[in-house]
Amino acid sequence: MITAELTVIPIGTSDTSLSKYVAVAVSTLDKMGMKYQINGVGTLIETENAEKLFDAVKAVHEAIFNEGAKRVSTHVKIDDRRDVEKTMEEKVKSVKEKL
């Protein structure tokens, strides 16, 4: 199971608000059928396939340009665990149980 943290930063926009770009990114993930969770500084994506993840990252990156950004900085952190399947929710639950 792959969990990835995706942060896409549009640069060269006319406004400091980024919510319209986040909405475009999330809409792109929805169209691709990706499982995700948004948070205040990025988006977690879950998939069983690295190719699907990279396709989704590319699609989101391009969608931000299509929304009018002049420059886009995309950051991806990948946790690819292959010994057991752990969902995003299970990972959080495991930490909470230890608190």
Side-chain angles (χ1 to χ4, degrees), residues 4-11 25 29 41 43 45 53-65 69 71-78:
E5 181 180 61
L6 175 64
T7 303
V8 182
I9 304 167
I11 302 169
L29 293 174
V41 294
T43 302
I45 301 172
L53 171 65
F54 294 126
D55 288 346
V57 169
K58 180 181 178 183
V60 168
H61 183 83
E62 291 300 323
I64 301 305
F65 274 115
R71 184 176 183 179
V72 177
S73 178
T74 299
H75 305 260
V76 181
K77 185 186 331 180
I78 299 170

Side-chain angles (χ1 to χ4, degrees), residues 12-87:
T13 65
S14 61
D15 192 357
T16 57
S17 176
L18 301 178
S19 58
K20 80 173 188 174
Y21 298 99
V22 173
V24 166
V26 169
S27 175
T28 301
L29 293 174
D30 276 336
K31 289 176 189 170
M32 298 186 77
M34 300 297 291
K35 182 178 177 184
Y36 63 87
Q37 291 179 357
I38 62 173
N39 60 56
V41 294
T43 302
L44 295 177
I45 301 172
E46 186 175 274
T47 184
E48 296 178 4
N49 182 306
E51 188 174 329
K52 282 182 67 175
L53 171 65
F54 294 126
D55 288 346
V57 169
K58 180 181 178 183
V60 168
H61 183 83
E62 291 300 323
I64 301 305
F65 274 115
N66 292 338
E67 190 62 25
K70 305 288 186 226
R71 184 176 183 179
V72 177
S73 178
T74 299
H75 305 260
V76 181
K77 185 186 331 180
I78 299 170
D79 177 10
D80 187 355
R81 183 170 183 177
R82 297 184 180 180
D83 60 330
V84 296
E85 283 197 24
K86 292 283 184 179
T87 65

Side-chain angles (χ1 to χ4, degrees), residues 90-99:
E90 290 170 327
K91 290 176 183 180
V92 171
K93 181 181 176 189
S94 178
V95 173
K96 287 183 176 182
E97 288 172 350
K98 292 171 178 66
L99 290 176

